[in-house]
Amino acid sequence: MNEAQISPYPDKSQVTQALLDSLNVEQGRVENRKNLDDLGGVEKLCAMIGVDGNVGLTHDQVVVQRSKFGDNTFPESPMASYFELLLGTLSDTTLLILIAAAAVSLVIGVLSHPDDGWIEGTAIFIAVFLVSNISAGNDYTKQLQFLALEASSAKDERTSVLRAGSIERVNPKDLVVGDVLVLQAGDAIPADSILFSKDFVLSNESSLTGEPDDLKKTAAKDCFLLSSCLVTEGEECRALVIGIGMHS
């Protein structure tokens, strides 16, 4: 959820990002519920978006919502550069000792044996150079492999969404504001959403809040489902997506 606390609605006549953010304040269940009730409840929000909870968005509406609010994607985590990894490797205590020993050996060698006294110190410097670059290269390659594995895993993810009256399995990144999620036990919640079906859901939010116990979610009370949390109990419960990507 969003860290910034946003109180009054900028405009209750249309769905804006600011309005959605006011329903999605981090650690603000009570305030979020009050703001939702003041708006007129999830039914009013659905009407403002133009979505029927029993049908979901049409495919044309999905295109419009995506152009207005964006995709359910996040910017990639910055990857450490090769130079940063090399500097990290060179900060190793053993290599620092070797560098100091090489410098001392080089100075003493050149002073005592001008012709070939540089050989031993230079050999140590070359060894340090090779070891540090090989280590940095390995770390950089591992980063690339991890990012590729992460991208492959994300590509295979699927979530159930109700669109044009049919339940579809889509990649979470294709969700838009106003989509109707269909959740059941074992599902990861792919976006911040509001539960509106009559059934209750148990959600584990330990990954975000540290709360070890499953939390009961109902449409009448705590109806807010948080992205990346796990549904531990529930059967085809429906929720309205209100926060995607960087706004979740």
Side-chain angles (χ1 to χ4, degrees):
M1 284 193 174
N2 299 295
E3 296 182 2
Q5 185 169 339
I6 304 170
S7 3
Y9 298 119
D11 187 352
K12 289 186 179 181
S13 64
Q14 58 182 340
V15 179
T16 63
Q17 188 60 61
L19 185 146
L20 294 173
D21 288 345
S22 69
L23 304 175
N24 204 21
V25 179
E26 182 179 5
Q27 302 296 322
R29 291 192 186 98
V30 175
E31 181 184 359
N32 292 338
R33 182 74 220 194
K34 180 180 181 303
N35 289 342
L36 179 62
D37 291 340
D38 289 345
L39 181 66
V42 68
E43 295 83 4
K44 174 64 175 178
L45 182 58
C46 284
M48 292 172 67
I49 294 174
V51 59
D52 184 334
N54 296 315
V55 178
L57 294 173
T58 66
H59 292 95
D60 288 340
Q61 286 179 308
V62 170
V63 174
V64 172
Q65 293 296 90
R66 181 170 290 119
S67 65
K68 185 175 181 180
F69 297 105
D71 290 317
N72 189 30
T73 56
F74 298 87
E76 290 185 358
S77 301
M79 191 175 70
S81 68
Y82 182 85
F83 183 69
E84 289 173 329
L85 294 173
L86 181 60
L87 288 179
T89 300
L90 289 173
S91 65
D92 180 78
T93 303
T94 302
L95 290 183
L96 290 175
I97 291 174
L98 286 174
I99 292 171
V104 171
S105 175
L106 186 61
V107 172
I108 295 176
V110 169
L111 292 177
S112 58
H113 303 285
D115 292 335
D116 57 2
W118 56 270
I119 295 177
E120 183 176 342
T122 302
I124 297 175
F125 273 125
I126 292 174
V128 170
F129 174 82
L130 292 175
V131 168
S132 59
N133 277 274
I134 289 172
S135 178
N138 287 338
D139 291 341
Y140 191 75
T141 300
K142 288 177 182 177
Q143 277 192 132
L144 295 177
Q145 291 174 340
F146 178 77
L147 288 176
L149 181 62
E150 196 175 48
S152 176
S153 175
K155 186 178 180 181
D156 293 336
E157 291 179 359
R158 290 292 182 272
T159 190
S160 296
V161 61
L162 182 65
R163 286 180 178 170
S166 301
I167 296 178
E168 301 179 6
R169 297 285 289 172
V170 303
N171 191 289
K173 72 176 184 179
D174 294 327
L175 292 175
V176 298
V177 168
D179 261 328
V180 175
L181 299 176
V182 182
L183 301 169
Q184 54 188 355
D187 287 346
I189 301 171
D192 289 348
S193 50
I194 299 176
L195 180 70
F196 65 83
S197 60
K198 295 181 180 179
D199 302 319
F200 74 90
V201 163
L202 291 183
S203 173
N204 188 298
E205 299 180 357
S206 58
S207 60
L208 292 181
T209 65
E211 172 62 50
D213 298 326
D214 295 343
L215 301 179
K216 187 175 183 178
K217 306 285 184 173
T218 63
K221 294 183 180 180
D222 182 7
C223 58
F224 298 96
L225 303 177
L226 307 184
S227 173
S228 77
C229 295
L230 181 69
V231 175
T232 56
E233 186 174 337
E235 188 66 32
E236 292 201 358
C237 300
R238 298 186 179 184
L240 178 72
V241 173
I242 62 168
I244 58 174
M246 295 301 293
H247 292 278
S248 64

